[in-house]
Amino acid sequence: MKKLMNSASDYVDEVLEGLVLAHPRLSLGGSARRVVHRAEGMRRGKVGIVSGGGSGHLPLFTGYVGSGMLDACSIGNVFEGPNIDSCIEAIKLADGGAGVLRLYGNYGGDRMNFDMAGEFLEGEIETTTVLGTDDIASAAPEESAKRRGVAGIIYAYKMAGAHAEEGGDLAAVTETARQAVAATKTIGLALSPCQVPGSAKPTFEIAADEFELGMGIHGEPGLWRSKMKPADEIVDEMIGRLLAERPAGHRGRVSVLVNSLGATPLEELLILYRRACAKLGEAGLEIVHPLVGPYATSMEMAGASISICFLDGTLERLLAAPSGSPFWEVK
């Protein structure tokens, strides 16, 4: 597979160098320059928010560092979690003296290294943890704590980031992140695989006339594989599965994210969004602050995910608050 790169070993470092050159409000830090943080530094007294994960998912994770969002983000190799040192360095760079929330996806390597980083800094920096668990295809509702974190985690970034910017304390910002995670449900589909730089073959195989529902952003197995269907039929099943997990008593407003996994063009995302609007309207739900585009990718994988964030008044207000990250700016 052709890739516009110099070498597989330099791929991530050169991506990060390009990112901060293109967005001067970001800086590279850490001993290995694997931490992206806000260039202006931390405001004293503000709760810090850090995230992290493997490369290959831009704009996730590093693209959401900025005012009203993340303060720092540690990044690993493609589809590999960040190492312990970069997690420690990210927490230190996000420390404004009011504690730091660690907000990242529910993956074993990320959990282990962020947990160890928090233990290393115990007594120096107070930290809390919230895991993204929005992928409904990865575990049953009664085992939701085992679910993967995918595109929907950006709602938690936005809402917790806004609360921290307003001056919320660590406990309150952490609770906002938990509420945002609990309110958000995601399901994805894959049409074709991607190939990690330096790998001899794609991450998985799928026939040209097939798609897989529920596949993860690293190629983790989904719910089932089928011959291609019309877009409306696919969206109907995705929305149906998401609405089956609508929080008890929720009536009213939602935000919807229709996300490209990398290669799927905006035109096709808009076809999906059109049908999602119709199905949610039939369910009596009003869409506010819709998001359509590449918000959490998987290299050049073709496919898409749909996330629904079931809003209450507080979450909706925080979603609408100003933010200044490179890939999600609200004025």
Side-chain angles (χ1 to χ4, degrees):
M1 182 177 288
K2 297 176 182 177
K3 289 187 181 290
L4 293 171
M5 65 180 190
N6 294 305
S7 70
S9 61
D10 293 332
Y11 185 86
V12 173
D13 295 321
E14 292 183 353
V15 167
L16 295 176
E17 289 173 12
L19 176 69
V20 299
L21 286 170
H23 300 283
R25 289 180 294 179
L26 304 182
S27 288
L28 269 181
S31 56
R33 292 173 61 80
R34 285 294 184 93
V35 179
V36 175
H37 61 98
R38 292 166 65 166
E40 75 272 20
M42 280 298 294
R43 186 178 83 234
R44 296 303 299 173
K46 189 188 89 68
V47 168
I49 303 179
V50 300
S51 191
S55 298
H57 301 299
L58 272 170
L60 202 66
F61 303 86
T62 51
Y64 299 115
V65 173
S67 60
M69 296 282 279
L70 301 175
D71 297 293
C73 182
S74 57
I75 199 75
N77 293 326
V78 176
F79 295 177
E80 297 178 10
N83 62 33
I84 297 171
D85 288 343
S86 66
C87 292
I88 291 171
E89 290 163 341
I91 293 169
K92 287 183 174 181
L93 284 165
D95 177 30
V100 175
L101 166 62
R102 300 169 292 179
L103 176 57
Y104 54 93
N106 188 22
Y107 297 93
D110 298 353
R111 290 198 313 269
M112 179 179 69
N113 288 342
F114 269 110
D115 285 351
M116 292 180 69
E119 291 171 5
F120 181 87
L121 294 169
E122 191 172 355
E124 178 182 348
I125 301 173
E126 183 182 3
T127 62
T128 56
T129 298
V130 174
L131 299 177
T133 54
D134 54 303
D135 184 2
I136 67 169
S138 55
E142 60 271 19
E143 295 185 304
S144 60
K146 296 181 180 179
R147 287 176 168 174
R148 301 179 292 238
V150 285
I153 197 173
I154 69 169
Y155 284 110
Y157 290 170
K158 179 68 179 67
M159 295 163 179
H163 197 168
E165 208 71 46
E166 291 176 354
D169 64 21
L170 181 59
V173 171
T174 301
E175 181 57 27
T176 292
R178 289 196 185 104
Q179 292 176 5
V181 167
T184 304
K185 312 297 178 184
T186 301
I187 190 167
L189 68 96
L191 304 178
S192 70
C194 65
Q195 188 162 333
V196 174
S199 296
K201 60 182 181 180
T203 50
F204 62 93
E205 295 181 359
I206 188 168
D209 61 347
E210 291 181 330
F211 76 103
E212 185 160 337
L213 186 73
M215 180 171 282
I217 57 175
H218 307 101
E220 300 96 333
L223 298 171
W224 49 254
R225 188 171 288 195
S226 170
K227 298 296 184 182
M228 278 300 298
K229 300 177 182 179
D232 283 0
E233 291 184 27
I234 296 172
V235 173
D236 288 355
E237 176 161 0
M238 296 173 78
I239 294 295
R241 288 179 178 270
L242 293 170
L243 288 181
E245 302 210 10
R246 184 176 180 176
H250 180 274
R251 297 177 181 84
R253 292 151 76 89
V254 297
S255 179
V256 177
L257 164 60
V258 178
N259 170 62
S260 170
L261 290 177
T264 300
L266 182 58
E267 288 88 346
E268 293 176 28
L269 298 182
L270 292 170
I271 290 171
L272 302 182
Y273 180 70
R274 160 193 162 275
R275 184 63 173 183
C277 285
K279 298 305 290 182
L280 292 172
E282 290 174 8
L285 295 170
E286 179 185 356
I287 298 174
V288 295
H289 308 296
L291 304 170
V292 181
Y295 284 81
T297 64
S298 184
M299 301 293 292
E300 73 283 353
M301 185 187 293
S305 63
I306 299 177
S307 303
I308 299 178
C309 184
F310 296 91
L311 299 169
D312 62 17
T314 300
L315 293 180
E316 183 175 346
R317 180 184 63 79
L318 294 170
L319 182 59
S323 63
S325 71
F327 294 93
W328 190 0
E329 187 164 11
V330 180
K331 296 182 179 180

